Amino acid sequence: MKKLYIHLLVVSAMFFNMAGQVFAQDGATPKNLDGKQAITVATEKTEMIFTPDGDNRLQLIFYGTKGSFNGKYDSLAEAYFSGGSDFYYSPALRVTHEDGNTSTLLKLQKSEQKNLDGNIVETRIYLKDDYYNFYVTLVFKAYQKENLIAQHVVFENKEKKAVTIYNFASTALTFSPGKYYLTQFHGKWADEMNMVEELLTPGIKVLDSKLGVRAHEMRNPTFLLGIGEPAREDNGNVIGGSLAWSGSFEFSFEFDENGRLFALCGMNPYMEQRILEPGKTFVTPEMLLVYSNKGTGEMSRSFQDWGRKYGVREGYTPRSILLNNWEATFFDFDEKKLVSLFEGAKKLGFELFLLDDGWFGNKYPRNDDHAGLGDWDVNKKKLPNGVEALCVAAEKIGIDFGIWVEPEMVNPKSELYEKHPDWVIGQKHRPLNFRRNQLNLDLSNPDVREFCFNVVDHLLTANPDIRFVKWDANRFVTNGGSYYLKPELQSHLIYDYHVALYDIMDRVMKKHPNVRMMLCSGGGGRVDYKALSYFHEFWPSDNTDPVQRVYIQWGYSMFYPSIAVAGHVTHWGARPIKFAFDVAMSVRMGMDRDLAKLNEQELAFSKNAIAEYKRVRDVVQLGTQYRLISPYGSNRSASMYVNEDKSHAIAFVFQIKNAAEGDSTTVALKGLIPGKQYKVREINRMPDASGKTSAEVGVFSGKQLMDGALDCRLNAEITSSVYEITAVAN
């Protein structure tokens, strides 16, 4: 087994576990190392071990498989390395103190640990500057069963005057010399979560966002780090990292001259310096880390298990199948048209209807994206009887009703902007940038914060039968200044914006707990575990071409459970309807088509597919995922979900490109019981001459299926198969 030695820098709440036994070969955790107290943060399978050096400066000496530490370690960098003194690489912390001193020297004071419940162990490690009354607390939450460690950092100023914090990483890791392979998830609007892996070389590799809001448009705040070799699905050492923060972020990977790797993860310090007054504290976002010695598959399942239990709302409650009106009507609709869509949706088996953009604005009607944002009064021409009339009509037909909002934004062509031009984000003496014909509202302003909360609260209070809200945010920040904040506090804008945003989301969630929420930001512009803690699901991309969604959903599956990923059948790409449905069925399924434009065969297939999904969605949304064939480097892609007792599984196979000569048609399944017998049948087929939509494949042992007994026989591009695997009673 390859040993991994790391120095770790902490910013989010994570887990430490302090054991009281001397290290032994049976995996017990050491209490003393060279006569020094060891502080251990541990889950069921992994652990971090910290110890002070001879000068009482905290070191992280190990992060890896629990029980595999051999007691030997090199003196590396500090666990939370600070700038301005004897550390001359990129620092986790950089502070200017009250007298202008730009150095910080942290010494260990004490550590505390407590069990928060039967699964979460919290550890706090208290550090203090050797001279100044400046305090740093590293906070860890160790999720035992999920093997995830969350980290954050708390800074407290007890100096007599204000200090300025310029760098504030949530976690800092130092790796011993070796080879490291970094995978990032990059893209742009309608092209999110592309996976690119590279061997790290001397110098600094930075993955970041400076967009402020909708900050994840070009890159998701996640990464994979393969240790010693490229990240592989079923074996090898890998670390997965995800920052629970919706604003700008920075992941920095720096090699020193001795081949050591320093990794810093957290908020982006670009234009975000923090002035901390005496007696005040500053808290960083959480950094989530999972280490696995069994590849990205095990790592992903840890993240997905944690996500269902802790990361998203009601992660064990199956999601509804929805029909969205957007591609059927865009902005052009009225009450009669919408009600007709309700009726069609109900006939096909949909459970929820989502009214998208365009339902508001009177002086400046929302008939396109140039006007109306900020004026959240119901458009009387389109909906003379209001939103509640739609709720009543939907209830009568037997379908839930949902609605779209974008409370953080404003069109210059709006009554709100006419009354409050100072409420937007902008720089004095600079022209405003009207990207997407709109501006960001400044949530650092308490009046704006209250306005945004009231937008959503009033809508849901006035229309108590709304069951679902899609919360959008369609532009990032330019001219990032605040007309509200004092000149010396302008660098607080993005942090304060998100503190306010989370407060709004939290208040909405608590006041309207029965309303399900979708997180959207022009597609995948805001996908992180902090925002998701207030939402049930997210919209991964505005690109709904099912071929592209195979790649997009593959990338998201590295960190996020399928129950949180919204997949819709649309006209994008002009793909066969079966292929589109199969891809959407592999996550939370929905549809965004004009039902009136579907032919009889498509309507019949859609109705059957929806019925099939209802029958198997518990497995897809709640089951354990196993990725089988990656779309990267292959002409096809495959994955599957297995329920808890391994008696029921659903496998998806997508032939993306024409099969090449020599391509295998078989797929090796995973996660089954080897000695168990399973019946396999293909479901969600286009009807044959007799009208059947499923076909028996055969009965196999779990071992046979995991050895590749399933022959999919797909060859042509844009074809797909869905298989149901059911245990046979003995």
Side-chain angles (χ1 to χ4, degrees):
M1 180 183 300
K2 190 175 181 66
K3 298 290 190 299
L4 168 64
Y5 298 93
I6 302 178
H7 254 116
L8 199 158
L9 172 64
V10 178
V11 166
S12 283
M14 290 195 70
F15 50 105
F16 286 3
N17 184 10
M18 300 172 67
Q21 298 180 353
V22 177
F23 176 78
Q25 292 302 314
D26 62 2
T29 301
K31 181 177 180 181
N32 294 293
L33 291 168
D34 300 329
K36 295 171 288 191
Q37 182 71 38
I39 304 170
T40 303
V41 178
T43 67
E44 289 184 354
K45 294 182 179 179
T46 66
E47 64 184 347
M48 296 177 175
I49 303 174
F50 297 81
T51 186
D53 66 8
D55 198 27
N56 213 34
R57 297 165 75 167
L58 186 70
Q59 295 179 297
L60 175 58
I61 59 172
F62 179 81
Y63 177 29
T65 302
K66 192 173 184 177
S68 66
F69 178 53
N70 62 8
K72 299 179 181 180
Y73 64 93
D74 296 323
S75 178
L76 298 175
E78 293 176 71
Y80 197 79
F81 35 91
S82 52
S85 53
D86 56 357
F87 186 78
Y88 43 88
Y89 304 102
S90 300
L93 171 66
R94 187 164 65 92
V95 180
T96 297
H97 298 279
E98 59 182 346
D99 61 358
N101 191 325
T102 59
S103 66
T104 299
L105 181 61
L106 297 175
K107 299 290 185 73
L108 174 65
Q109 288 191 305
K110 62 178 182 178
S111 64
E112 297 175 345
Q113 178 203 329
K114 62 181 178 180
N115 291 306
L116 301 184
D117 61 18
N119 190 50
I120 307 172
V121 178
E122 180 184 84
T123 301
R124 291 176 176 262
I125 300 179
Y126 297 90
L127 309 173
K128 178 188 175 297
D129 186 85
D130 192 45
Y131 178 83
Y132 296 97
N133 288 320
F134 184 79
Y135 296 79
V136 176
T137 304
L138 310 183
V139 185
F140 302 79
K141 286 181 184 174
Y143 295 84
Q144 302 300 300
K145 294 180 180 179
E146 296 76 24
N147 294 296
L148 181 146
I149 296 177
Q151 311 176 16
H152 74 262
V153 178
V154 180
F155 306 101
E156 184 176 9
N157 178 23
K158 292 186 179 180
E159 300 182 32
K160 294 180 180 179
K161 297 180 181 179
V163 303
T164 302
I165 309 177
Y166 294 95
N167 293 78
F168 28 69
S170 292
T171 192
L173 304 172
T174 302
F175 300 83
S176 57
K179 289 186 176 181
Y180 298 94
Y181 294 81
L182 177 67
T183 300
Q184 61 171 299
F185 299 82
H186 76 98
K188 58 184 178 180
W189 175 79
D191 187 26
E192 293 87 344
M193 292 301 283
N194 296 285
M195 295 177 61
V196 174
E197 184 179 54
E198 62 185 301
L199 172 67
L200 289 175
T201 58
I204 303 177
K205 177 71 177 184
V206 176
L207 310 179
D208 76 342
S209 166
K210 301 180 181 70
L211 301 181
V213 175
R214 192 181 174 182
H216 309 157
E217 178 177 336
M218 300 175 185
R219 186 171 290 105
N220 192 257
T222 52
F223 69 87
L224 303 175
L225 190 67
I227 300 162
E229 57 191 351
R232 292 179 291 176
E233 185 69 22
D234 297 312
N235 52 70
N237 297 288
V238 64
I239 292 174
S242 179
L243 183 67
W245 180 244
S246 307
S248 302
F249 63 90
E250 182 179 89
F251 301 155
S252 171
F253 301 86
E254 180 176 9
F255 270 108
D256 73 359
E257 70 281 1
N258 297 312
R260 297 180 299 179
L261 177 65
F262 301 101
L264 296 174
C265 306
M267 291 171 50
N268 196 328
Y270 173 75
M271 296 182 68
E272 291 198 34
Q273 296 79 27
R274 196 75 189 178
I275 298 174
L276 199 60
E277 297 292 335
K280 299 296 184 180
T281 59
F282 174 57
V283 182
T284 71
E286 281 192 315
M287 185 68 197
L288 312 177
L289 295 173
V290 171
Y291 169 87
S292 171
N293 66 353
K294 295 182 179 179
T296 57
E298 182 184 70
M299 181 278 303
S300 294
R301 289 187 283 276
S302 291
F303 262 107
Q304 292 175 5
D305 289 346
W306 182 90
R308 272 187 294 267
K309 189 171 183 179
Y310 300 101
V312 300
R313 287 178 61 185
E314 300 178 293
Y316 291 97
T317 302
R319 308 307 196 227
S320 297
I321 305 169
L322 71 82
L323 177 69
N324 192 333
N325 74 297
W326 182 244
E327 293 193 17
T329 67
F330 295 99
F331 293 99
D332 184 17
F333 57 81
D334 57 19
E335 183 177 315
K336 182 179 179 181
K337 173 65 173 176
L338 294 176
V339 173
S340 72
L341 294 176
F342 298 171
E343 294 168 345
K346 179 62 177 178
K347 289 178 181 178
L348 287 188
F350 289 101
E351 300 157 320
L352 169 67
F353 181 88
L354 173 63
L355 172 57
D356 216 292
D357 197 354
W359 57 268
F360 51 91
N362 285 292
K363 181 178 179 180
Y364 300 106
R366 182 71 169 173
N367 294 324
D368 53 39
D369 64 8
H370 288 73
L373 277 181
D375 301 342
W376 297 98
D377 50 324
V378 179
N379 184 280
K380 296 177 181 178
K381 184 176 180 180
K382 294 180 182 179
L383 304 174
N385 298 308
V387 170
E388 187 60 20
L390 295 175
C391 295
V392 171
E395 183 177 17
K396 184 177 180 180
I397 291 170
I399 193 168
D400 286 344
F401 179 80
I403 200 164
W404 176 96
V405 294
E406 192 176 6
E408 304 159 62
M409 305 290 168
V410 62
N411 286 124
K413 194 174 182 180
S414 67
E415 293 182 81
L416 178 66
Y417 186 72
E418 290 176 345
K419 295 175 183 176
H420 299 288
D422 57 326
W423 278 14
V424 303
I425 290 177
Q427 297 278 15
K428 294 179 180 179
H429 316 303
R430 305 297 182 209
L432 291 171
N433 177 273
F434 299 109
R435 184 178 181 85
R436 203 180 179 273
N437 310 304
Q438 64 190 68
L439 297 165
N440 306 80
L441 291 173
D442 179 5
L443 298 189
S444 73
N445 184 330
D447 292 336
V448 179
R449 179 191 305 199
E450 201 62 24
F451 168 82
C452 289
F453 168 74
N454 287 332
V455 166
V456 185
D457 178 50
H458 175 73
L459 176 64
L460 298 179
T461 301
N463 305 283
D465 293 318
I466 291 176
R467 296 287 181 261
F468 187 91
V469 168
K470 178 181 178 182
W471 185 313
D472 214 339
N474 276 305
R475 69 156 288 167
F476 52 76
V477 171
T478 54
N479 295 320
S482 169
Y483 301 124
Y484 168 78
L485 293 173
K486 296 178 181 179
E488 64 272 20
L489 299 180
Q490 290 294 305
S491 63
H492 290 199
L493 172 61
I494 299 303
Y495 183 86
D496 289 359
Y497 180 104
H498 285 91
V499 169
L501 177 65
Y502 299 143
D503 174 70
I504 295 166
M505 291 175 170
D506 184 63
R507 291 166 66 191
V508 169
M509 176 181 68
K510 290 176 178 175
K511 189 170 180 181
H512 305 280
N514 297 321
V515 178
R516 289 158 285 166
M517 309 283 286
M518 174 195 281
L519 186 67
C520 181
S521 187
R526 179 183 284 159
V527 181
D528 67 275
Y529 271 120
K530 180 60 178 179
L532 276 172
S533 66
Y534 307 107
F535 287 77
H536 295 80
E537 60 186 58
F538 66 89
W539 184 237
S541 176
D542 281 345
N543 186 342
T544 51
D545 178 348
V547 171
Q548 296 306 312
R549 276 298 184 99
V550 169
Y551 293 91
I552 290 169
Q553 291 170 193
W554 186 273
Y556 280 118
S557 75
M558 295 290 166
F559 299 94
Y560 305 102
S562 60
I563 197 169
V565 184
H568 287 192
V569 177
T570 78
H571 76 285
W572 271 48
R575 310 300 185 182
I577 195 167
K578 171 178 165 49
F579 189 86
F581 259 106
D582 288 353
V583 173
M585 287 177 71
S586 66
V587 286
R588 195 282 286 147
M589 190 180 79
M591 193 174 192
D592 199 337
R593 291 282 298 268
D594 187 346
L595 302 182
K597 294 181 180 180
L598 299 180
N599 61 39
E600 288 187 10
Q601 184 186 43
E602 290 173 329
L603 286 170
F605 176 81
S606 299
K607 185 174 183 178
N608 178 73
I610 291 168
E612 288 282 55
Y613 186 70
K614 288 179 180 178
R615 194 175 57 78
V616 303
R617 73 172 143 194
D618 281 8
V619 180
V620 174
Q621 295 184 10
L622 304 177
T624 299
Q625 185 187 41
Y626 294 88
R627 291 184 294 267
L628 308 176
I629 302 173
S630 171
Y632 292 90
S634 175
N635 293 321
R636 61 165 50 174
S637 177
S639 63
M640 66 184 292
Y641 299 91
V642 184
N643 73 347
E644 187 174 5
D645 66 4
K646 301 181 183 296
S647 64
H648 197 186
I650 306 296
F652 299 88
V653 183
F654 307 114
Q655 190 72 38
I656 301 171
K657 302 174 184 177
N658 287 322
E661 185 177 353
D663 280 359
S664 172
T665 60
T666 62
V667 175
L669 304 186
K670 299 177 184 177
L672 303 176
I673 299 172
K676 193 78 174 176
Q677 294 292 303
Y678 291 92
K679 180 176 69 174
V680 179
R681 67 188 188 112
E682 185 180 354
I683 62 173
N684 210 45
R685 292 162 55 99
M686 293 298 289
D688 60 18
S690 64
K692 289 185 178 180
T693 57
S694 65
E696 301 296 326
V697 176
V699 177
F700 308 86
S701 71
K703 183 179 186 304
Q704 287 176 312
L705 290 171
M706 291 190 289
D707 286 343
L710 180 60
D711 194 340
C712 298
R713 300 185 183 278
L714 294 175
N715 291 295
E717 65 177 358
I718 324 301
T719 55
S720 55
S721 295
V722 181
Y723 295 94
E724 183 174 18
I725 302 100
T726 308
V728 177
N730 293 328

mmCIF file of all heavy atoms in Angstrom, residues 272-292:
data_model
loop_
_atom_site.group_PDB
_atom_site.id
_atom_site.type_symbol
_atom_site.label_atom_id
_atom_site.label_comp_id
_atom_site.label_asym_id
_atom_site.label_seq_id
_atom_site.Cartn_x
_atom_site.Cartn_y
_atom_site.Cartn_z
ATOM 1 N N GLU A 272 -11.060 40.249 -1.940
ATOM 2 C CA GLU A 272 -11.910 39.882 -0.806
ATOM 3 C C GLU A 272 -11.157 39.948 0.518
ATOM 4 O O GLU A 272 -11.337 39.109 1.399
ATOM 5 C CB GLU A 272 -12.507 38.491 -1.023
ATOM 6 C CG GLU A 272 -13.537 38.435 -2.138
ATOM 7 C CD GLU A 272 -14.437 37.214 -2.076
ATOM 8 O OE1 GLU A 272 -14.741 36.767 -0.955
ATOM 9 O OE2 GLU A 272 -14.844 36.720 -3.142
ATOM 10 N N GLN A 273 -10.278 40.920 0.683
ATOM 11 C CA GLN A 273 -9.590 41.089 1.950
ATOM 12 C C GLN A 273 -10.612 41.400 3.055
ATOM 13 O O GLN A 273 -11.606 42.087 2.830
ATOM 14 C CB GLN A 273 -8.570 42.225 1.872
ATOM 15 C CG GLN A 273 -7.437 41.977 0.900
ATOM 16 C CD GLN A 273 -7.810 42.227 -0.536
ATOM 17 O OE1 GLN A 273 -8.700 43.021 -0.811
ATOM 18 N NE2 GLN A 273 -7.158 41.548 -1.462
ATOM 19 N N ARG A 274 -10.320 40.887 4.253
ATOM 20 C CA ARG A 274 -11.266 41.041 5.355
ATOM 21 C C ARG A 274 -10.656 41.899 6.453
ATOM 22 O O ARG A 274 -9.601 41.563 7.002
ATOM 23 C CB ARG A 274 -11.636 39.673 5.933
ATOM 24 C CG ARG A 274 -12.885 39.709 6.802
ATOM 25 C CD ARG A 274 -14.114 39.825 5.956
ATOM 26 N NE ARG A 274 -15.312 40.074 6.763
ATOM 27 C CZ ARG A 274 -16.505 40.259 6.239
ATOM 28 N NH1 ARG A 274 -16.665 40.232 4.922
ATOM 29 N NH2 ARG A 274 -17.553 40.471 7.003
ATOM 30 N N ILE A 275 -11.312 43.018 6.754
ATOM 31 C CA ILE A 275 -10.907 43.870 7.873
ATOM 32 C C ILE A 275 -11.660 43.387 9.102
ATOM 33 O O ILE A 275 -12.890 43.388 9.133
ATOM 34 C CB ILE A 275 -11.215 45.350 7.594
ATOM 35 C CG1 ILE A 275 -10.415 45.825 6.378
ATOM 36 C CG2 ILE A 275 -10.909 46.198 8.821
ATOM 37 C CD1 ILE A 275 -10.767 47.228 5.934
ATOM 38 N N LEU A 276 -10.907 42.972 10.117
ATOM 39 C CA LEU A 276 -11.509 42.379 11.299
ATOM 40 C C LEU A 276 -11.284 43.300 12.495
ATOM 41 O O LEU A 276 -10.158 43.510 12.947
ATOM 42 C CB LEU A 276 -10.888 41.003 11.556
ATOM 43 C CG LEU A 276 -11.660 40.036 12.454
ATOM 44 C CD1 LEU A 276 -13.040 39.741 11.870
ATOM 45 C CD2 LEU A 276 -10.876 38.743 12.633
ATOM 46 N N GLU A 277 -12.376 43.856 12.977
ATOM 47 C CA GLU A 277 -12.308 44.779 14.104
ATOM 48 C C GLU A 277 -12.046 44.020 15.403
ATOM 49 O O GLU A 277 -12.290 42.812 15.494
ATOM 50 C CB GLU A 277 -13.616 45.563 14.223
ATOM 51 C CG GLU A 277 -13.931 46.466 13.042
ATOM 52 C CD GLU A 277 -12.972 47.636 12.916
ATOM 53 O OE1 GLU A 277 -12.378 48.033 13.949
ATOM 54 O OE2 GLU A 277 -12.813 48.154 11.792
ATOM 55 N N PRO A 278 -11.560 44.705 16.440
ATOM 56 C CA PRO A 278 -11.313 44.050 17.728
ATOM 57 C C PRO A 278 -12.575 43.372 18.265
ATOM 58 O O PRO A 278 -13.674 43.927 18.196
ATOM 59 C CB PRO A 278 -10.880 45.203 18.634
ATOM 60 C CG PRO A 278 -10.309 46.220 17.706
ATOM 61 C CD PRO A 278 -11.126 46.122 16.456
ATOM 62 N N GLY A 279 -12.411 42.155 18.754
ATOM 63 C CA GLY A 279 -13.537 41.422 19.315
ATOM 64 C C GLY A 279 -14.394 40.692 18.304
ATOM 65 O O GLY A 279 -15.349 40.008 18.682
ATOM 66 N N LYS A 280 -14.060 40.817 17.014
ATOM 67 C CA LYS A 280 -14.868 40.202 15.969
ATOM 68 C C LYS A 280 -14.219 38.898 15.480
ATOM 69 O O LYS A 280 -13.016 38.681 15.610
ATOM 70 C CB LYS A 280 -15.050 41.153 14.793
ATOM 71 C CG LYS A 280 -15.771 42.450 15.151
ATOM 72 C CD LYS A 280 -17.200 42.195 15.602
ATOM 73 C CE LYS A 280 -17.942 43.500 15.873
ATOM 74 N NZ LYS A 280 -19.341 43.245 16.311
ATOM 75 N N THR A 281 -15.071 38.044 14.871
ATOM 76 C CA THR A 281 -14.597 36.791 14.294
ATOM 77 C C THR A 281 -14.945 36.740 12.811
ATOM 78 O O THR A 281 -15.837 37.445 12.333
ATOM 79 C CB THR A 281 -15.225 35.575 14.994
ATOM 80 O OG1 THR A 281 -16.651 35.639 14.871
ATOM 81 C CG2 THR A 281 -14.841 35.525 16.458
ATOM 82 N N PHE A 282 -14.235 35.904 12.103
ATOM 83 C CA PHE A 282 -14.471 35.669 10.680
ATOM 84 C C PHE A 282 -14.376 34.173 10.447
ATOM 85 O O PHE A 282 -13.424 33.523 10.888
ATOM 86 C CB PHE A 282 -13.432 36.420 9.843
ATOM 87 C CG PHE A 282 -13.485 36.128 8.365
ATOM 88 C CD1 PHE A 282 -14.638 36.335 7.638
ATOM 89 C CD2 PHE A 282 -12.366 35.648 7.699
ATOM 90 C CE1 PHE A 282 -14.692 36.069 6.278
ATOM 91 C CE2 PHE A 282 -12.401 35.380 6.336
ATOM 92 C CZ PHE A 282 -13.572 35.592 5.630
ATOM 93 N N VAL A 283 -15.369 33.601 9.754
ATOM 94 C CA VAL A 283 -15.464 32.160 9.562
ATOM 95 C C VAL A 283 -15.385 31.833 8.076
ATOM 96 O O VAL A 283 -16.085 32.445 7.257
ATOM 97 C CB VAL A 283 -16.784 31.616 10.142
ATOM 98 C CG1 VAL A 283 -16.854 30.099 9.983
ATOM 99 C CG2 VAL A 283 -16.930 32.004 11.617
ATOM 100 N N THR A 284 -14.550 30.881 7.735
ATOM 101 C CA THR A 284 -14.402 30.481 6.331
ATOM 102 C C THR A 284 -15.464 29.447 5.967
ATOM 103 O O THR A 284 -16.068 28.810 6.838
ATOM 104 C CB THR A 284 -13.020 29.877 6.071
ATOM 105 O OG1 THR A 284 -12.961 28.597 6.714
ATOM 106 C CG2 THR A 284 -11.909 30.753 6.614
ATOM 107 N N PRO A 285 -15.695 29.220 4.692
ATOM 108 C CA PRO A 285 -16.590 28.135 4.268
ATOM 109 C C PRO A 285 -15.986 26.773 4.594
ATOM 110 O O PRO A 285 -14.794 26.639 4.858
ATOM 111 C CB PRO A 285 -16.697 28.331 2.752
ATOM 112 C CG PRO A 285 -16.175 29.688 2.476
ATOM 113 C CD PRO A 285 -15.183 29.989 3.548
ATOM 114 N N GLU A 286 -16.834 25.750 4.520
ATOM 115 C CA GLU A 286 -16.372 24.386 4.752
ATOM 116 C C GLU A 286 -15.743 23.796 3.501
ATOM 117 O O GLU A 286 -16.267 23.939 2.403
ATOM 118 C CB GLU A 286 -17.532 23.479 5.176
ATOM 119 C CG GLU A 286 -17.933 23.627 6.624
ATOM 120 C CD GLU A 286 -18.877 22.523 7.059
ATOM 121 O OE1 GLU A 286 -19.820 22.217 6.315
ATOM 122 O OE2 GLU A 286 -18.664 21.979 8.155
ATOM 123 N N MET A 287 -14.631 23.128 3.715
ATOM 124 C CA MET A 287 -14.031 22.317 2.665
ATOM 125 C C MET A 287 -14.304 20.861 2.993
ATOM 126 O O MET A 287 -14.020 20.402 4.104
ATOM 127 C CB MET A 287 -12.522 22.562 2.578
ATOM 128 C CG MET A 287 -11.845 21.838 1.424
ATOM 129 S SD MET A 287 -12.364 22.504 -0.184
ATOM 130 C CE MET A 287 -11.850 21.172 -1.274
ATOM 131 N N LEU A 288 -14.876 20.121 2.046
ATOM 132 C CA LEU A 288 -15.226 18.722 2.243
ATOM 133 C C LEU A 288 -14.188 17.850 1.558
ATOM 134 O O LEU A 288 -13.877 18.045 0.383
ATOM 135 C CB LEU A 288 -16.614 18.436 1.662
ATOM 136 C CG LEU A 288 -17.722 19.426 2.038
ATOM 137 C CD1 LEU A 288 -19.016 19.058 1.320
ATOM 138 C CD2 LEU A 288 -17.935 19.474 3.544
ATOM 139 N N LEU A 289 -13.664 16.864 2.280
ATOM 140 C CA LEU A 289 -12.617 15.991 1.753
ATOM 141 C C LEU A 289 -12.968 14.528 1.989
ATOM 142 O O LEU A 289 -13.454 14.164 3.064
ATOM 143 C CB LEU A 289 -11.274 16.281 2.419
ATOM 144 C CG LEU A 289 -10.643 17.657 2.186
ATOM 145 C CD1 LEU A 289 -9.418 17.819 3.065
ATOM 146 C CD2 LEU A 289 -10.286 17.851 0.720
ATOM 147 N N VAL A 290 -12.715 13.714 0.992
ATOM 148 C CA VAL A 290 -12.834 12.266 1.120
ATOM 149 C C VAL A 290 -11.565 11.647 0.555
ATOM 150 O O VAL A 290 -11.174 11.943 -0.579
ATOM 151 C CB VAL A 290 -14.060 11.716 0.376
ATOM 152 C CG1 VAL A 290 -14.026 10.185 0.354
ATOM 153 C CG2 VAL A 290 -15.350 12.188 1.032
ATOM 154 N N TYR A 291 -10.925 10.798 1.344
ATOM 155 C CA TYR A 291 -9.776 10.020 0.887
ATOM 156 C C TYR A 291 -10.220 8.573 0.653
ATOM 157 O O TYR A 291 -10.970 8.006 1.454
ATOM 158 C CB TYR A 291 -8.646 10.049 1.915
ATOM 159 C CG TYR A 291 -7.544 9.048 1.616
ATOM 160 C CD1 TYR A 291 -6.498 9.385 0.777
ATOM 161 C CD2 TYR A 291 -7.581 7.771 2.161
ATOM 162 C CE1 TYR A 291 -5.500 8.463 0.482
ATOM 163 C CE2 TYR A 291 -6.597 6.836 1.870
ATOM 164 C CZ TYR A 291 -5.554 7.194 1.029
ATOM 165 O OH TYR A 291 -4.577 6.276 0.733
ATOM 166 N N SER A 292 -9.758 7.978 -0.436
ATOM 167 C CA SER A 292 -10.055 6.571 -0.705
ATOM 168 C C SER A 292 -8.823 5.887 -1.255
ATOM 169 O O SER A 292 -8.101 6.461 -2.070
ATOM 170 C CB SER A 292 -11.199 6.449 -1.720
ATOM 171 O OG SER A 292 -11.351 5.104 -2.148
#
